[in-house]
Amino acid sequence: MSKITKVQDTNEEYHSRSEISASGIKTIHKKSVYHYLNQKPFSSSSMELGTAVHTMLLEPNAFVEQYFVMPKLDLRTKAGKEQKEELEKANKQKKALKDEEWHIIKNIAQNFDQHELAKKYCNGLKEMSHYTTYKGVPVRVRPDNINYGLEFISDIKTCQDNSPQAFKRDVYKYGYHIQAAFYSLVLGFPVENFRFIAVETNYPFSVEVYALSDDLIEQGINQMHKALSSWKLYYTSGIVTGYEAETKKDGSLIL
């Protein structure tokens, strides 16, 4: 195995690096190397809520340092506008959370605190960046939580429905099984030890722990390696591939 460099850098520093990550591998699998190279930065309210939930569950002290709750204010009034300005000034280094967002985060945290298995699988080093090479390609991974002694990696996923049927659909839709394979194989951990902590952002804000089936593990490994091969072709020769599919003699893709 190649040497792994572990760094406690910031999330921004991690994402600014050029090594291929799990999200890049998933994009290549779902789309192509061309799409990965031409993707634009994207953010949404659900992604920002997910980040806040991650911080609350994994690094509660950091949550207090990074976020504050903006109460509902009547901004049609002078008093409401002044109160908003005062809160923003007092918390200028922090991100504002709406009342409804805080309600979600608080309830998730309460249910998480009562879920012993979820807490067990969040016991380890949090948000540690790892840089190395895999199959001759520079790669990077930043697990939510990693436990070297017990050899498991865990990842928190926010979702609207964390029932087994719904979350399995999310696994396929978002390539979570590919992420599990990538993280585990790059770091030399058993993929079967990977755990997802699925938390609902809707009432009753349920928390569940999921492992992958043997079939999903096999699919994740195969799809990860196929996407990595496409990226390696670009990395070593500069060839940018598009969609991979069978073609007609004229070059048309066959559906």
Side-chain angles (χ1 to χ4, degrees), residues 1-6 14 17 19-20 129-141 182-183 185-188 235:
M1 180 185 294
S2 300
K3 180 182 177 182
I4 298 174
T5 301
K6 293 178 281 189
Y14 171 79
R17 304 225 355 175
E19 296 93 341
I20 193 72
S129 298
H130 298 69
Y131 304 103
T132 186
T133 58
Y134 182 77
K135 303 290 186 181
V137 177
V139 296
R140 56 186 164 98
V141 297
F182 186 77
Y183 277 31
L185 296 181
V186 164
L187 298 179
Y235 177 73

Side-chain angles (χ1 to χ4, degrees), residues 14-34:
Y14 171 79
H15 286 290
S16 69
R17 304 225 355 175
S18 61
E19 296 93 341
I20 193 72
S21 66
S23 60
I25 290 296
K26 289 189 292 182
T27 298
I28 293 170
H29 164 70
K30 290 191 289 184
K31 291 283 192 174
S32 68
V33 171
Y34 176 82

Side-chain angles (χ1 to χ4, degrees), residues 7 9-11 14 127-130 140-144 183:
V7 181
D9 53 5
T10 66
N11 195 48
Y14 171 79
E127 302 288 353
M128 175 72 75
S129 298
H130 298 69
R140 56 186 164 98
V141 297
R142 186 180 172 89
D144 285 350
Y183 277 31

Side-chain angles (χ1 to χ4, degrees), residues 6 17 56 82 102 153 186 229:
K6 293 178 281 189
R17 304 225 355 175
M56 182 62 161
E82 289 177 347
W102 172 236
I153 299 169
V186 164
S229 294

Side-chain angles (χ1 to χ4, degrees), residues 14 25 120 234 236:
Y14 171 79
I25 290 296
K120 170 189 172 182
Y234 166 75
T236 57

Side-chain angles (χ1 to χ4, degrees), residues 38-93:
N38 289 280
Q39 66 183 349
K40 295 180 179 180
F42 174 78
S43 183
S44 67
S45 58
S46 61
M47 289 174 64
E48 291 174 0
L49 176 62
T51 299
V53 170
H54 275 70
T55 307
M56 182 62 161
L57 300 187
L58 295 173
E59 303 174 289
N61 291 334
F63 181 87
V64 175
E65 297 173 355
Q66 296 175 20
Y67 294 93
F68 78 99
V69 180
M70 177 67 75
K72 289 184 178 179
L73 301 171
D74 188 352
L75 299 181
R76 295 170 300 179
T77 66
K78 180 180 179 182
K81 293 177 182 177
E82 289 177 347
Q83 189 175 354
K84 180 176 183 291
E85 186 177 338
E86 289 173 4
L87 284 168
E88 289 176 337
K89 186 176 181 179
N91 297 279
K92 59 182 178 181
Q93 302 300 326

Side-chain angles (χ1 to χ4, degrees), residues 26-233:
K26 289 189 292 182
T27 298
I28 293 170
H29 164 70
K30 290 191 289 184
K31 291 283 192 174
S32 68
V33 171
Y34 176 82
H35 287 83
Y36 170 67
L37 292 172
N38 289 280
Q39 66 183 349
K40 295 180 179 180
F42 174 78
S43 183
S44 67
S45 58
S46 61
M47 289 174 64
E48 291 174 0
L49 176 62
T51 299
V53 170
H54 275 70
T55 307
M56 182 62 161
L57 300 187
L58 295 173
E59 303 174 289
N61 291 334
F63 181 87
V64 175
E65 297 173 355
Q66 296 175 20
Y67 294 93
F68 78 99
V69 180
M70 177 67 75
K72 289 184 178 179
L73 301 171
D74 188 352
L75 299 181
R76 295 170 300 179
T77 66
K78 180 180 179 182
K81 293 177 182 177
E82 289 177 347
Q83 189 175 354
K84 180 176 183 291
E85 186 177 338
E86 289 173 4
L87 284 168
E88 289 176 337
K89 186 176 181 179
N91 297 279
K92 59 182 178 181
Q93 302 300 326
K94 299 181 181 182
K95 298 177 183 177
L97 291 171
K98 298 176 182 177
D99 260 344
E100 52 267 32
E101 293 173 326
W102 172 236
H103 175 74
I104 293 170
I105 295 167
K106 180 174 61 176
N107 279 278
I108 289 174
Q110 289 173 348
N111 288 339
F112 174 82
D113 193 52
Q114 297 172 13
H115 200 299
E116 294 303 321
L117 189 60
K119 290 195 293 183
K120 170 189 172 182
Y121 278 108
C122 286
N123 180 23
L125 286 177
K126 314 295 192 295
E127 302 288 353
M128 175 72 75
S129 298
H130 298 69
Y131 304 103
T132 186
T133 58
Y134 182 77
K135 303 290 186 181
V137 177
V139 296
R140 56 186 164 98
V141 297
R142 186 180 172 89
D144 285 350
N145 180 81
I146 183 168
N147 190 306
Y148 296 100
L150 298 177
E151 290 194 321
F152 72 77
I153 299 169
S154 61
D155 195 82
I156 293 173
K157 299 296 186 187
T158 51
C159 54
Q160 294 186 346
D161 182 350
N162 70 352
S163 65
Q165 299 86 350
F167 191 69
K168 189 172 184 178
R169 289 195 294 269
D170 282 352
V171 169
Y172 281 113
K173 181 178 181 180
Y174 300 112
Y176 293 161
H177 56 319
I178 298 173
Q179 174 192 4
F182 186 77
Y183 277 31
S184 300
L185 296 181
V186 164
L187 298 179
F189 282 30
V191 185
E192 58 266 27
N193 288 4
F194 197 102
R195 294 293 184 272
F196 291 104
I197 317 298
V199 299
E200 289 180 333
T201 55
N202 296 320
Y203 182 83
F205 310 106
S206 171
V207 176
E208 292 295 344
V209 179
Y210 287 106
L212 295 175
S213 66
D214 291 343
D215 182 54
L216 275 173
I217 289 173
E218 183 179 2
Q219 289 183 51
I221 292 173
N222 291 338
Q223 291 167 2
M224 183 272 278
H225 279 142
K226 184 177 180 181
L228 188 68
S229 294
S230 297
W231 176 251
K232 186 174 183 178
L233 179 64

